[in-house]
Each structure stands twice: as C-alpha cells, then as structure tokens.
Amino acid sequence: MNLVVVSNRVARGKANEPMTGGLAAALLPVVEKSGAIWVGSSGRVRDGAQLEPIVEIEPLGEGALALLDLPAAHYAGYYEGFANSALWPALHSRSDLIRVSHDDYESYREVNAFVARSLMRFHKPDTLFWIQDYHFLSLGAELRDLGVKSAIGFFLHTPWPSRCVVDSLPHHPELLEAMLAYDLIGFQTADDCENFIDCLRTSLGLKVKSGVVRSRHGRTRLAVFPIGIDADKFAQAATKAVSHPDVSRLRRSLQGEKLAIGVDRLDYSKGLVNRISAFDRMWSLHPNLLRSVSLLQIATPSRESIPAYGNLQSEVARLISEVNGRHGEVDWTPIRYLNKGYGQSVLAGLYRTAQVGVVTPLYDGMNLVAKEYVAAQSPVDPGVLVLSKFAGAANELDAALLVNPHDIDGMARTIATALSMPLAERCMRYEAMMAKLHRHSIQQWFADFVTALQATELEEADVEPLPATPPGFLVRRASSSGARYH
C-alpha cells in the first residue's frame, strides 16, 4: 500500500516551531512513522498557466513531504474567498459571516482541480489517497475524472452543521454531490455525521442505509473517527519542558498565584470574547480571586486579511485592555495576552503550569488543545479542564467541567469552581480523561481510518454506480487550464 495524505497546511516538525493548527500538529507524528507522502501547499503561489506544478520533496521521518506552489490567479479566491469566507463560517454555524462571490467558488474548484493534477505524479495502482478538511471537498471528484480508480478517503476536521445552515451556503448541492466521489467520509462526532446524512436526504434526495449511500460515483461510507493525540508523548514533553526558559520565567512570575490558560487561533469560532467576559465577571463576583489567579491567553493571529478576523482582533484587544484596566493593579495584570505561537514542547510546559485549562469554543470540530491540556498535567497534582459542550472533545472528555460558552455567568461560576476543586476530585477527573485519551489515540485514529478505507475497495467491487447525474448540477467541461463550470 502507498498512502498519500493531502492537506492545505503541512508541518515540518522542527524543534520549537510554532504549530499553526490542530490538523498539522495531529498529522505530523503519524506521517513521520507511517511512510506516507504528505502533500500540501508550500505557502507560495505562481503566476502564469502551468501544466505541471513545482513540487519540493523532502524527507519526513519514514515518509516524505511534498510542497506545491498553488496558482496565483486563483489562490485568493480559493483560500481567503470560498474556503475561509464561505465554508469556514458555514461549517461553524456562522452563516451571517458568509461573504463570497461566484468567482471565489470557481477559484475553489480550479485549485481543487490543480491539486488533483499535481497528485497524479504520486499515483500508482495501489495508491490510497486520504484528503483532509474543508479546503478540498471536491478533490475526490477531480481525481476520479483523471481516472483514479483506487480508494479515496476524506476526513473533515471541522463540524458539519445542521441542514438549515448548510442551505445558506452557495453551491452546496454541487459540493455535496462532489463529495460522494470519496469512498469513505470521516467525521469527528456522530452529530456531524447525522447532519451530513440529513443534508444528503434533503438536498440530493439520496437514501442512506447503515452509513452507506449510493450515488452516480458509486458507494460512499460515512463514519465517525474522533481524532486523538499521543498522550504519553505529550506528557513526557510536559515533564521535560519545566526547565524551558519560557516556562521557568512564567513559573517564577506567578509567585504562588494560580494560572488559567487558553491557547487558540484568533478565530471567531473559539469564543474568545465570551471567555474574556467570563473572567471579567468572575473577578467581579469573586473579588477574593483578584491577585490570586490570572489568565494567560495565547491567541495566534490568523487570516488577518479577512474583515471578520481583523475586527475580532481589535475587539479582543480592546476588551482585554478594559478588563485589565478595571481589575488590574500596578503590580498585577489579570490577563496576560500574547499574539504569537509556540512549539508543542513549550506549550506542554505552559499547560502543566496552569491549574485551569479553558477551552470554550462556540462550535468546534474537536479542539485538540483540550486533550493536550489534560495529557500535560501532573498525575499527582492535575489541573482542571473547563470545556465547552460544543467542542467535539466534549463527547469523550465528559469528566471535564462542561460549560455553555454563551452563558457568561455560568462560565464565571465554573471557572471559580475549578480553582477551588479538591485534589481527590481533580485526580479522579484526570484519570478518567486520560483513560479516554489512551483509548482514542492519534495512532488509533490513523489506523482505523486507513483500515476502513482499504475495506471500501473490497465493498465497492460488488457495487455498480447509479447511472444518472442528478439534474441541476454544474456540468464540467475540460479545458487546457483545468476544470470549468457552467
């Protein structure tokens, strides 16, 4: 078996290199050990029509990393446009933030077609393609049109929202139909899978039986594969990181004060405004916690050219300034706010230093920060995880203190409860969550998906695809520059 993994973002795994997202951090260790080829964007674009992309290939553990220069003419429409101004808000149930044009959609499809052509240099009869995330919903269909017959799988790292939200996404029927070119589609939670099935029934009129749907592409299996982490490796990193200069300085600066920590991309799905408001409320309700607990909020800037992100960055900075001005003293700052990323080894040490981990997204696919925080804790004196019930991780980490991120007073009370929780209860909750992390590791996630993908090849051999293309879908016409849609 030859495995090719495809994602928009990749990671090289350099020591102390900041990780820019959970997907890259999760895939890195398993690609290194599996021998897979990991294909993704180089971060560069190229001008002019190009029949073949420039690909840089470098070793990555037992596998390899292949980097593509994406076409300049379509990159902005693909990435800032349809992917992150239409798909991302829709998938996170923020249809009010959808800003997209038809040209953006065409660019999205063009880049998916370009990547498909690029992948053909790695194609062999026994190659399995595993496509990651919302950037490449239609990539499987493009590979099929290029003659790929082997199994192609897709995993969605974000939520899949309710049908009424998906209905607000322009071109959603065409995208749903294109996704059915995948043999296997994986989701983080059962709710996400059920929402997708509901969309297939209502938007495409298709029947789903026992997690399997038939379309003109053939047979597609829908299943749940909650992504995990290497808990033991992360725990070891947390132990070693105690001596790291950044971690040591943080510990010294606390002077016996307790610490809560939040680590997020600066994204409206992460609930940062509500989180800051909850700490503000907590200090107002519990003045005894002033000077005795502070929040370290690490928020890495992201997609700053998109207006919704620029507006959020300004709002968060303004709100933190107001809270610090209201509750701070000349020698004490309630919220320490950092707009930069840290490598996994340093983050592990920062997590271990904090008595409370605050992971309160409004809606999230999994949020591996929650799992990383738990794994980083000292078994003899663990911290407490405060977790949004709308994060995918809440389905597994039910021993965390679950909160509604829209309930500011409720979050304030829960954070105060976490700070005063007895050691025996903290240990009990920690042990229960670590047991879940060991059962659902990143290695298990990887192995389960690849095994299921291989099994689809045997299932598909006995199934004939439906002959007709449903009416009303875009017809694709080949051209020298790629796929065109009319």
Side-chain angles (χ1 to χ4, degrees), residues 465-484:
L466 299 180
T469 300
F473 292 111
L474 296 182
V475 177
R476 208 164 127 277
R477 297 175 184 170
S479 72
S480 60
S481 62
R484 298 295 183 202

PDB file of all heavy atoms in Angstrom, residues 465-484:
ATOM      1  N   PRO A 465     -22.322   1.875  -9.791  1.00  0.00           N
ATOM      2  CA  PRO A 465     -22.786   3.226  -9.502  1.00  0.00           C
ATOM      3  C   PRO A 465     -24.117   3.516 -10.172  1.00  0.00           C
ATOM      4  O   PRO A 465     -24.493   2.872 -11.155  1.00  0.00           O
ATOM      5  CB  PRO A 465     -21.679   4.110 -10.085  1.00  0.00           C
ATOM      6  CG  PRO A 465     -21.058   3.273 -11.156  1.00  0.00           C
ATOM      7  CD  PRO A 465     -21.154   1.859 -10.663  1.00  0.00           C
ATOM      8  N   LEU A 466     -24.847   4.484  -9.637  1.00  0.00           N
ATOM      9  CA  LEU A 466     -26.067   4.937 -10.271  1.00  0.00           C
ATOM     10  C   LEU A 466     -25.714   5.618 -11.585  1.00  0.00           C
ATOM     11  O   LEU A 466     -24.746   6.366 -11.667  1.00  0.00           O
ATOM     12  CB  LEU A 466     -26.814   5.909  -9.355  1.00  0.00           C
ATOM     13  CG  LEU A 466     -27.266   5.334  -8.005  1.00  0.00           C
ATOM     14  CD1 LEU A 466     -27.978   6.407  -7.201  1.00  0.00           C
ATOM     15  CD2 LEU A 466     -28.172   4.130  -8.199  1.00  0.00           C
ATOM     16  N   PRO A 467     -26.478   5.409 -12.630  1.00  0.00           N
ATOM     17  CA  PRO A 467     -26.055   5.882 -13.949  1.00  0.00           C
ATOM     18  C   PRO A 467     -26.237   7.366 -14.188  1.00  0.00           C
ATOM     19  O   PRO A 467     -25.489   7.959 -14.953  1.00  0.00           O
ATOM     20  CB  PRO A 467     -26.950   5.070 -14.894  1.00  0.00           C
ATOM     21  CG  PRO A 467     -28.167   4.761 -14.085  1.00  0.00           C
ATOM     22  CD  PRO A 467     -27.684   4.562 -12.682  1.00  0.00           C
ATOM     23  N   ALA A 468     -27.230   7.982 -13.581  1.00  0.00           N
ATOM     24  CA  ALA A 468     -27.590   9.336 -13.986  1.00  0.00           C
ATOM     25  C   ALA A 468     -27.024  10.382 -13.041  1.00  0.00           C
ATOM     26  O   ALA A 468     -26.936  10.171 -11.847  1.00  0.00           O
ATOM     27  CB  ALA A 468     -29.118   9.476 -14.041  1.00  0.00           C
ATOM     28  N   THR A 469     -26.647  11.534 -13.602  1.00  0.00           N
ATOM     29  CA  THR A 469     -26.269  12.686 -12.791  1.00  0.00           C
ATOM     30  C   THR A 469     -27.537  13.424 -12.405  1.00  0.00           C
ATOM     31  O   THR A 469     -28.366  13.731 -13.268  1.00  0.00           O
ATOM     32  CB  THR A 469     -25.360  13.626 -13.601  1.00  0.00           C
ATOM     33  OG1 THR A 469     -24.199  12.912 -13.982  1.00  0.00           O
ATOM     34  CG2 THR A 469     -24.984  14.836 -12.763  1.00  0.00           C
ATOM     35  N   PRO A 470     -27.760  13.712 -11.137  1.00  0.00           N
ATOM     36  CA  PRO A 470     -28.975  14.433 -10.744  1.00  0.00           C
ATOM     37  C   PRO A 470     -29.094  15.742 -11.498  1.00  0.00           C
ATOM     38  O   PRO A 470     -28.093  16.429 -11.718  1.00  0.00           O
ATOM     39  CB  PRO A 470     -28.767  14.671  -9.238  1.00  0.00           C
ATOM     40  CG  PRO A 470     -27.799  13.610  -8.820  1.00  0.00           C
ATOM     41  CD  PRO A 470     -26.914  13.398 -10.005  1.00  0.00           C
ATOM     42  N   PRO A 471     -30.301  16.102 -11.922  1.00  0.00           N
ATOM     43  CA  PRO A 471     -30.480  17.339 -12.689  1.00  0.00           C
ATOM     44  C   PRO A 471     -30.146  18.554 -11.838  1.00  0.00           C
ATOM     45  O   PRO A 471     -30.310  18.556 -10.631  1.00  0.00           O
ATOM     46  CB  PRO A 471     -31.967  17.303 -13.059  1.00  0.00           C
ATOM     47  CG  PRO A 471     -32.593  16.430 -12.016  1.00  0.00           C
ATOM     48  CD  PRO A 471     -31.562  15.396 -11.681  1.00  0.00           C
ATOM     49  N   GLY A 472     -29.675  19.596 -12.519  1.00  0.00           N
ATOM     50  CA  GLY A 472     -29.451  20.857 -11.830  1.00  0.00           C
ATOM     51  C   GLY A 472     -28.035  21.061 -11.344  1.00  0.00           C
ATOM     52  O   GLY A 472     -27.699  22.130 -10.848  1.00  0.00           O
ATOM     53  N   PHE A 473     -27.156  20.054 -11.488  1.00  0.00           N
ATOM     54  CA  PHE A 473     -25.781  20.213 -11.035  1.00  0.00           C
ATOM     55  C   PHE A 473     -24.931  20.802 -12.153  1.00  0.00           C
ATOM     56  O   PHE A 473     -25.250  20.691 -13.330  1.00  0.00           O
ATOM     57  CB  PHE A 473     -25.198  18.884 -10.575  1.00  0.00           C
ATOM     58  CG  PHE A 473     -25.851  18.391  -9.321  1.00  0.00           C
ATOM     59  CD1 PHE A 473     -26.655  17.268  -9.344  1.00  0.00           C
ATOM     60  CD2 PHE A 473     -25.700  19.072  -8.139  1.00  0.00           C
ATOM     61  CE1 PHE A 473     -27.276  16.820  -8.201  1.00  0.00           C
ATOM     62  CE2 PHE A 473     -26.302  18.639  -6.983  1.00  0.00           C
ATOM     63  CZ  PHE A 473     -27.101  17.510  -7.017  1.00  0.00           C
ATOM     64  N   LEU A 474     -23.838  21.419 -11.750  1.00  0.00           N
ATOM     65  CA  LEU A 474     -22.953  22.018 -12.722  1.00  0.00           C
ATOM     66  C   LEU A 474     -22.343  20.948 -13.618  1.00  0.00           C
ATOM     67  O   LEU A 474     -21.951  19.898 -13.156  1.00  0.00           O
ATOM     68  CB  LEU A 474     -21.831  22.774 -12.012  1.00  0.00           C
ATOM     69  CG  LEU A 474     -22.287  23.964 -11.165  1.00  0.00           C
ATOM     70  CD1 LEU A 474     -21.075  24.637 -10.559  1.00  0.00           C
ATOM     71  CD2 LEU A 474     -23.060  24.948 -12.010  1.00  0.00           C
ATOM     72  N   VAL A 475     -22.255  21.258 -14.889  1.00  0.00           N
ATOM     73  CA  VAL A 475     -21.629  20.359 -15.851  1.00  0.00           C
ATOM     74  C   VAL A 475     -20.198  20.812 -16.050  1.00  0.00           C
ATOM     75  O   VAL A 475     -19.929  21.985 -16.300  1.00  0.00           O
ATOM     76  CB  VAL A 475     -22.391  20.387 -17.201  1.00  0.00           C
ATOM     77  CG1 VAL A 475     -21.671  19.504 -18.210  1.00  0.00           C
ATOM     78  CG2 VAL A 475     -23.823  19.917 -17.003  1.00  0.00           C
ATOM     79  N   ARG A 476     -19.272  19.904 -15.928  1.00  0.00           N
ATOM     80  CA  ARG A 476     -17.870  20.223 -16.021  1.00  0.00           C
ATOM     81  C   ARG A 476     -17.381  20.018 -17.433  1.00  0.00           C
ATOM     82  O   ARG A 476     -17.631  18.998 -18.047  1.00  0.00           O
ATOM     83  CB  ARG A 476     -17.082  19.332 -15.059  1.00  0.00           C
ATOM     84  CG  ARG A 476     -15.835  19.959 -14.581  1.00  0.00           C
ATOM     85  CD  ARG A 476     -15.333  19.205 -13.375  1.00  0.00           C
ATOM     86  NE  ARG A 476     -13.954  18.831 -13.605  1.00  0.00           N
ATOM     87  CZ  ARG A 476     -13.606  17.762 -14.294  1.00  0.00           C
ATOM     88  NH1 ARG A 476     -14.494  16.964 -14.775  1.00  0.00           N
ATOM     89  NH2 ARG A 476     -12.331  17.489 -14.478  1.00  0.00           N
ATOM     90  N   ARG A 477     -16.672  21.024 -17.958  1.00  0.00           N
ATOM     91  CA  ARG A 477     -16.119  20.935 -19.296  1.00  0.00           C
ATOM     92  C   ARG A 477     -14.614  21.067 -19.202  1.00  0.00           C
ATOM     93  O   ARG A 477     -14.090  21.987 -18.588  1.00  0.00           O
ATOM     94  CB  ARG A 477     -16.666  22.051 -20.192  1.00  0.00           C
ATOM     95  CG  ARG A 477     -18.187  21.944 -20.382  1.00  0.00           C
ATOM     96  CD  ARG A 477     -18.722  23.113 -21.175  1.00  0.00           C
ATOM     97  NE  ARG A 477     -20.175  23.052 -21.280  1.00  0.00           N
ATOM     98  CZ  ARG A 477     -20.909  24.047 -21.762  1.00  0.00           C
ATOM     99  NH1 ARG A 477     -20.340  25.163 -22.157  1.00  0.00           N
ATOM    100  NH2 ARG A 477     -22.217  23.917 -21.836  1.00  0.00           N
ATOM    101  N   ALA A 478     -13.921  20.166 -19.857  1.00  0.00           N
ATOM    102  CA  ALA A 478     -12.461  20.182 -19.785  1.00  0.00           C
ATOM    103  C   ALA A 478     -11.907  21.333 -20.609  1.00  0.00           C
ATOM    104  O   ALA A 478     -12.442  21.703 -21.650  1.00  0.00           O
ATOM    105  CB  ALA A 478     -11.891  18.856 -20.287  1.00  0.00           C
ATOM    106  N   SER A 479     -10.818  21.910 -20.115  1.00  0.00           N
ATOM    107  CA  SER A 479     -10.086  22.914 -20.874  1.00  0.00           C
ATOM    108  C   SER A 479      -8.612  22.759 -20.550  1.00  0.00           C
ATOM    109  O   SER A 479      -8.241  22.063 -19.624  1.00  0.00           O
ATOM    110  CB  SER A 479     -10.556  24.329 -20.500  1.00  0.00           C
ATOM    111  OG  SER A 479     -10.109  24.681 -19.217  1.00  0.00           O
ATOM    112  N   SER A 480      -7.783  23.425 -21.294  1.00  0.00           N
ATOM    113  CA  SER A 480      -6.338  23.279 -21.090  1.00  0.00           C
ATOM    114  C   SER A 480      -5.896  23.781 -19.732  1.00  0.00           C
ATOM    115  O   SER A 480      -4.862  23.385 -19.223  1.00  0.00           O
ATOM    116  CB  SER A 480      -5.586  24.027 -22.188  1.00  0.00           C
ATOM    117  OG  SER A 480      -5.922  25.407 -22.158  1.00  0.00           O
ATOM    118  N   SER A 481      -6.644  24.690 -19.134  1.00  0.00           N
ATOM    119  CA  SER A 481      -6.237  25.249 -17.837  1.00  0.00           C
ATOM    120  C   SER A 481      -6.900  24.551 -16.672  1.00  0.00           C
ATOM    121  O   SER A 481      -6.684  24.918 -15.527  1.00  0.00           O
ATOM    122  CB  SER A 481      -6.579  26.744 -17.784  1.00  0.00           C
ATOM    123  OG  SER A 481      -7.980  26.924 -17.910  1.00  0.00           O
ATOM    124  N   GLY A 482      -7.713  23.534 -16.944  1.00  0.00           N
ATOM    125  CA  GLY A 482      -8.331  22.820 -15.827  1.00  0.00           C
ATOM    126  C   GLY A 482      -9.828  22.722 -16.002  1.00  0.00           C
ATOM    127  O   GLY A 482     -10.366  22.850 -17.099  1.00  0.00           O
ATOM    128  N   ALA A 483     -10.531  22.519 -14.913  1.00  0.00           N
ATOM    129  CA  ALA A 483     -11.977  22.318 -14.964  1.00  0.00           C
ATOM    130  C   ALA A 483     -12.707  23.639 -15.021  1.00  0.00           C
ATOM    131  O   ALA A 483     -12.371  24.586 -14.314  1.00  0.00           O
ATOM    132  CB  ALA A 483     -12.421  21.531 -13.738  1.00  0.00           C
ATOM    133  N   ARG A 484     -13.736  23.728 -15.846  1.00  0.00           N
ATOM    134  CA  ARG A 484     -14.593  24.908 -15.923  1.00  0.00           C
ATOM    135  C   ARG A 484     -16.021  24.482 -15.591  1.00  0.00           C
ATOM    136  O   ARG A 484     -16.449  23.387 -15.935  1.00  0.00           O
ATOM    137  CB  ARG A 484     -14.571  25.529 -17.320  1.00  0.00           C
ATOM    138  CG  ARG A 484     -13.182  26.021 -17.728  1.00  0.00           C
ATOM    139  CD  ARG A 484     -12.710  27.156 -16.860  1.00  0.00           C
ATOM    140  NE  ARG A 484     -11.422  27.654 -17.302  1.00  0.00           N
ATOM    141  CZ  ARG A 484     -10.604  28.326 -16.524  1.00  0.00           C
ATOM    142  NH1 ARG A 484     -10.938  28.553 -15.262  1.00  0.00           N
ATOM    143  NH2 ARG A 484      -9.449  28.759 -16.971  1.00  0.00           N
TER     144      ARG A 484
END
